[in-house]
Structures are given as structure tokens and as C-alpha cells.
Amino acid sequence: MGIEIGGSIEKVNGKEISYNEFVERYLAKNQPVVLTGLMDDWRACKDWVFDNGKPNLKFFSTHFGNSKVQVADCGTREFTDQKRVEMTVSEFIDHWIDDRECGGASNSFQEGNGKFVLYLKDWHFVTVQALNFDSMIELYILIMSGSVGAFTPVGFIAQE
């Protein structure tokens, strides 16, 4: 029992289609399409994952290791949600690697090594104020000029 889906969705290299052609062929007709190739040159596609698609945990630990993050402890309930704990990205990655080396998690919330599964959800960098910029425009100019590295934490600029 399940939903049967028929038909197919066209794949188009996004670098080979103009915006006007996209609007005419897909947007105006409300026609679904899978656009490929648009992120091929993004550094995240090279730095964040290996060629096999698995995450490059060492990269995250090296570049963001000291960042504090909220992690859900999937084995502990607190009110109507999982309990949240604060740890560094390095601590979270160490937990992840330790789990891999001990056989990985099953379908339950408890891992093979007796620890509970941790879930890093909604990882946000909100450190713009700490960067000491006079304005968001100055920050934007520095980012676009390359003066601020691609991995400088500048998330949630609109909310600042």
C-alpha cells in the first residue's frame, strides 16, 4: 500500500538555460523541473563532503570546532521535545565518530555503544556583532571582496 507516482520530472542543467526560458518552459506552466549544475563550483560542495557524498567531519571540526551549538539528545524527553544540550562542534563530531567506530546507530534512539543519538538541528551562526563591523553594508562589501573568508560565521544577517 502506498502512493503511486506516475510520470517523470525533467532534469535540466541550470547553467544552460536562461531565466526567460526557465520562466516560459517551467515557471509559467507550474511544471516541476530538477535544475542541476548550479552549485558545482560552490566551495561547500568540495569542502563539506567527500566525493562519495559522506560529510567531511574533519573539515567542520577544524573550521568550526570551538563553535557552541544546541544539540538534541534524542534519548531524553523534556516537556514535548528532546532535551537540548550545549556542546562544541568538535564534541558533537567526536560523539559522531565514536558512534561510527562502535558499529553505528540502529533504528532506535540508542546507539550501539549505549549512548543516545545526538541531533544537531538548526545550527546557526549569530556572531556578526562580534566581528565588529560598523554596518551590514560594510560586512557585505568585505565578504564580496574576499576580505572576510568564505567560512566566516555570518548567518542570520537579516535578523541582526
Side-chain angles (χ1 to χ4, degrees), residues 31-47:
Q31 176 73 35
V33 62
V34 174
L35 296 175
T36 63
L38 294 174
M39 301 182 306
D40 291 347
D41 55 347
W42 286 15
R43 283 188 58 192
C45 293
K46 296 172 187 71
D47 294 342

Side-chain angles (χ1 to χ4, degrees), residues 5-16:
I5 300 174
S8 62
I9 297 176
E10 187 177 354
K11 284 186 180 182
V12 175
N13 186 329
K15 293 181 178 180
E16 297 174 358

Side-chain angles (χ1 to χ4, degrees), residues 47-48 51 54 86 90 146 152 159:
D47 294 342
W48 295 6
D51 290 338
K54 294 190 178 188
E86 185 176 273
S90 286
T152 300
Q159 291 183 7

Side-chain angles (χ1 to χ4, degrees), residues 11 18 53 62 68 80 85 95 101 103 120 134 137 143:
K11 284 186 180 182
S18 70
T62 300
K68 297 277 186 183
T80 61
V85 294
H95 180 91
E101 292 171 354
L120 197 166
D134 293 332
I137 294 172
I143 291 169

Side-chain angles (χ1 to χ4, degrees), residues 129-142:
Q129 292 154 336
L131 295 174
N132 238 358
F133 294 106
D134 293 332
S135 70
M136 290 296 111
I137 294 172
E138 179 185 357
L139 174 60
Y140 176 77
I141 291 168
L142 289 170

Side-chain angles (χ1 to χ4, degrees), residues 2-158:
I3 297 174
E4 192 172 316
I5 300 174
S8 62
I9 297 176
E10 187 177 354
K11 284 186 180 182
V12 175
N13 186 329
K15 293 181 178 180
E16 297 174 358
I17 186 172
S18 70
Y19 179 74
N20 290 336
E21 185 180 0
F22 168 76
V23 169
E24 183 180 314
R25 286 174 56 188
Y26 306 103
L27 191 61
K29 296 176 184 177
N30 202 23
Q31 176 73 35
V33 62
V34 174
L35 296 175
T36 63
L38 294 174
M39 301 182 306
D40 291 347
D41 55 347
W42 286 15
R43 283 188 58 192
C45 293
K46 296 172 187 71
D47 294 342
W48 295 6
V49 293
F50 294 112
D51 290 338
N52 63 6
K54 294 190 178 188
N56 182 348
L57 300 177
K58 183 174 171 64
F59 176 87
F60 286 99
S61 192
T62 300
H63 289 82
F64 308 113
N66 294 328
S67 299
K68 297 277 186 183
V69 291
Q70 292 291 317
V71 176
D73 179 347
C74 296
T76 307
R77 301 288 295 174
E78 193 170 71
F79 303 106
T80 61
D81 203 0
Q82 288 90 18
K83 180 180 180 180
R84 302 282 192 238
V85 294
E86 185 176 273
M87 61 179 56
T88 65
V89 171
S90 286
E91 290 169 333
F92 175 78
I93 289 174
D94 289 346
H95 180 91
W96 187 346
I97 291 170
D98 184 43
D99 174 48
R100 270 190 189 169
E101 292 171 354
C102 292
S106 65
N107 288 336
S108 72
F109 291 119
Q110 191 163 2
E111 299 171 355
N113 58 12
K115 294 183 192 176
F116 283 98
V117 173
L118 298 180
Y119 176 48
L120 197 166
K121 178 182 179 285
D122 297 335
W123 176 10
H124 304 295
F125 283 124
V126 187
T127 57
V128 173
Q129 292 154 336
L131 295 174
N132 238 358
F133 294 106
D134 293 332
S135 70
M136 290 296 111
I137 294 172
E138 179 185 357
L139 174 60
Y140 176 77
I141 291 168
L142 289 170
I143 291 169
M144 298 311 289
S145 70
S147 299
V148 174
F151 297 106
T152 300
V154 293
F156 279 87
I157 290 173

